[in-house]
Amino acid sequence: MIQVENYIGGKFVTLSDDFDDISPLDFSIIAKVPRTKNVDGAVEAAKSAQPDWGALSIEQRCDWLDKIANELESQIEEIARLESMDTGKPHHVALNVDANRSVNNFRFFADFGRKMESQTFQMPDATNYVVRKPIGVVGLISPWNLPLYLLSWKIAPALLMGNAIIAKPSEITPLTAHFLAKVCSKIGLPEGVLNIVHGYGPEVGQAIVEHPEIRAISFTGGTSTGKIVAATAAPMFKKLSLELGGKNASLVLDDADLDLAVPGVLRASFLNSGQICLCGSRVLVHSAIYYEFMDRYLEELKSFEIGPVISDEHRSKVLSYIELAKQEGGTILSGGSVPDKQGAWIEPTVISGLSHESRTATEEIFGPVVTVHKFESDEEAIKMANCTQYGLAGSVWSKGRGREVAEQIESGMVWVNTWLHRDLRVPFGGVKDSGVGREGGMWSLGFFSEAVNICVMED
Ligand code: NAD
């Protein structure tokens, strides 16, 4: 049994009030997690650490990010083991997606920080110098689907820009954030620069968003939670970055290379049991290749390995959508049932015959369930892709018209003939109800700093 602790001012703290962390693999209790309700102590620790941290040079803070990356990398198998235990995902996904990319987040921002160029704007008689100052104390709140990866994606740029942090991982997956705290303690990261508190969203998450001395909130999670976060933070004029839900489409055009499209769309459908905000849960296929595509897709699905979904409660939500699909007239082409074993398992499920405007095809399910739809023209496919309230990501599979079609999709990110191919320098974020703001590369550094202009008149 692991005892998860809060990490405040460089000290590990337990609380008498705690709750269980349950493995989705078999519903066993794997950890005890502190039920924090108040972040005053963490904010005090962050406030006293921030001035010295912010006074370091960018190069010095880059060196700290590299030290974190090196230590994480030396224990990469342990990160994968913890992530796999906490989320149920297969070891190779936990290693290659979660653990590796978490290390890369720190390393990437260290390299990026070293290459950051100063910005000046010359006038005929004066020079403008843009200075990027730390915000102060920032709050980072993350979900359960890619626990350390999404948290480190925020921690690395926030540290780089000289802020002190109050971070809260999902209460469902606290293990790797706790591990990161141990790593930071081991390498001697200055006390109070990174504080990690655990607990339920409406309690400690809300306390972070409400705290007047936390001046920026970077939140990744569901759209309905994002609304609460925005409603709380906006009247306090906090900087706010919201990375929210999605219902992304994969468009397979009539000229698609099916050798690429079939495995690519399948991976977009079911990687991490469909629990990635970027997953393509709507598969739109041109009628001319529909049957060939579907035959191959369903065949390859038979050997696609997935883990359980995150919890029994989440499985109930996913199953309720499969029931809804049946009521809406859908045909289950594959899956649809619960395997006979302990844990939050659910078969990867493919549903056809639904209107692209049905609830099943437009609401976020966030599980191993996709709906497939036939279209006759690029225009129709684009219209179908754009018919939801969301606008996070998407993919287009075509030998010749991919980019042209991609530009007409109302989403923050669209891949052509690939999926989840990530360059960390590019803007990451959603349009419509999928979020506000962008993170990634320069966008992250912009969010985690205050750009101040100094205009110097020349003699
Ligand atoms: P969630 O919204 O339930 O929780 C996210 C985080 O917010 C958790 O740490 C939770 O404890 C906290 N929280 C809950 N209520 C809060 C409140 N009132 N104030 C502050 N914090 C609060 O989301 P989830 O179920 O953990 O994650 C799944 C969702 O996340 C899906 O909708 C998915 O699309 C989305 N997501 C988006 C992205 C993206 O980059 N856009 C990435 C991953 C996941």
Side-chain angles (χ1 to χ4, degrees), residues 141-146 150 168-172 199-207 209 219-226 228-229 242-246 275-278 364 366 392 428-430 434:
I141 299 175
S142 58
W144 46 257
N145 60 326
L146 298 162
L150 291 175
K168 191 204 98 62
S170 168
E171 58 272 36
I172 306 176
Y200 294 122
E203 295 179 352
V204 68
Q206 186 71 22
V209 181
F219 170 85
T220 300
T223 294
S224 55
T225 317
I228 300 171
V229 170
L242 299 172
E243 302 286 352
L244 308 177
Q275 302 169 122
I276 301 181
C277 55
L278 308 169
E364 186 184 47
F366 214 57
L392 190 58
F428 181 102
S434 287

Side-chain angles (χ1 to χ4, degrees), residues 70-124:
N70 292 344
E71 185 59 30
L72 286 174
E73 192 168 41
S74 73
Q75 303 198 53
I76 201 146
E77 278 295 337
E78 179 60 4
I79 300 172
R81 188 185 74 82
L82 291 170
E83 211 69 291
S84 181
M85 179 163 65
D86 221 1
T87 62
K89 64 186 75 185
H91 176 265
H92 67 93
V93 178
L95 183 65
N96 298 321
V97 179
D98 297 79
N100 259 319
R101 290 182 180 212
S102 301
V103 172
N104 279 347
N105 283 340
F106 286 102
R107 197 151 280 150
F108 164 77
F109 277 107
D111 290 346
F112 198 75
R114 290 192 184 98
K115 290 183 200 136
M116 195 166 51
E117 288 177 4
S118 56
Q119 263 183 316
T120 56
F121 296 94
Q122 193 67 49
M123 297 168 78

Side-chain angles (χ1 to χ4, degrees), residues 15-37:
L15 296 177
S16 54
D17 195 2
D18 60 17
F19 58 89
D20 296 337
D21 178 16
I22 298 190
S23 165
L25 286 165
D26 58 6
F27 299 144
S28 60
I29 299 173
I30 51 179
K32 292 280 178 194
V33 188
R35 184 175 171 181
T36 318
K37 294 182 183 166

Side-chain angles (χ1 to χ4, degrees), residues 144-164:
W144 46 257
N145 60 326
L146 298 162
L148 187 59
Y149 174 45
L150 291 175
L151 195 58
S152 54
W153 175 240
K154 300 178 187 300
I155 289 175
L159 286 180
L160 176 62
M161 298 315 283
N163 303 287

Side-chain angles (χ1 to χ4, degrees), residues 146-380:
L146 298 162
L148 187 59
Y149 174 45
L150 291 175
L151 195 58
S152 54
W153 175 240
K154 300 178 187 300
I155 289 175
L159 286 180
L160 176 62
M161 298 315 283
N163 303 287
I165 293 170
I166 315 292
K168 191 204 98 62
S170 168
E171 58 272 36
I172 306 176
T173 52
L175 297 187
T176 46
H178 182 50
F179 185 78
L180 174 67
K182 297 266 182 207
V183 161
C184 291
S185 170
K186 181 175 174 199
I187 63 167
L189 185 74
E191 292 176 358
V193 163
L194 172 64
N195 304 278
I196 299 183
V197 290
H198 296 272
Y200 294 122
E203 295 179 352
V204 68
Q206 186 71 22
I208 291 173
V209 181
E210 281 176 2
H211 201 291
E213 291 182 272
I214 300 179
R215 296 307 309 155
I217 301 289
S218 172
F219 170 85
T220 300
T223 294
S224 55
T225 317
K227 278 187 193 162
I228 300 171
V229 170
T232 310
M236 300 168 85
F237 305 113
K238 296 190 181 200
K239 275 189 108 172
L240 203 50
S241 170
L242 299 172
E243 302 286 352
L244 308 177
K247 184 76 177 179
N248 313 302
S250 306
L251 285 68
V252 188
L253 306 192
D254 52 355
D255 67 342
D257 176 349
L258 294 193
D259 290 342
L260 273 182
V262 171
V265 173
L266 191 64
R267 190 166 156 263
S269 304
F270 295 113
L271 187 68
N272 212 37
S273 300
Q275 302 169 122
I276 301 181
C277 55
L278 308 169
C279 273
S281 52
R282 295 181 293 148
V283 179
L284 315 182
V285 190
H286 194 281
S287 60
I289 51 160
Y290 181 84
Y291 292 103
E292 187 189 352
F293 175 87
M294 285 312 298
D295 282 352
R296 289 176 61 176
Y297 177 86
L298 292 171
E299 187 54 37
E300 286 195 23
L301 173 58
K302 289 180 192 157
S303 51
F304 195 93
E305 187 196 3
I306 67 166
V309 296
I310 193 67
S311 65
D312 198 20
E313 190 189 348
H314 188 54
R315 178 170 63 174
S316 300
K317 177 191 156 188
V318 175
L319 289 171
S320 77
Y321 272 101
I322 296 174
E323 276 316 302
L324 176 68
K326 290 179 193 159
Q327 286 162 25
E328 289 186 312
T331 305
I332 311 287
L333 297 181
S334 181
S337 312
V338 168
D340 185 19
K341 57 177 167 178
Q342 269 290 87
W345 297 86
I346 183 166
E347 291 173 349
T349 301
V350 182
I351 306 168
S352 70
L354 288 170
S355 158
H356 64 277
E357 292 177 325
S358 62
R359 280 187 55 205
T360 313
T362 54
E363 295 178 14
E364 186 184 47
I365 301 173
F366 214 57
V369 177
V370 303
T371 60
V372 292
H373 310 267
K374 231 186 277 180
F375 65 83
E376 303 294 336
S377 65
D378 291 357
E379 292 66 40
E380 192 189 2

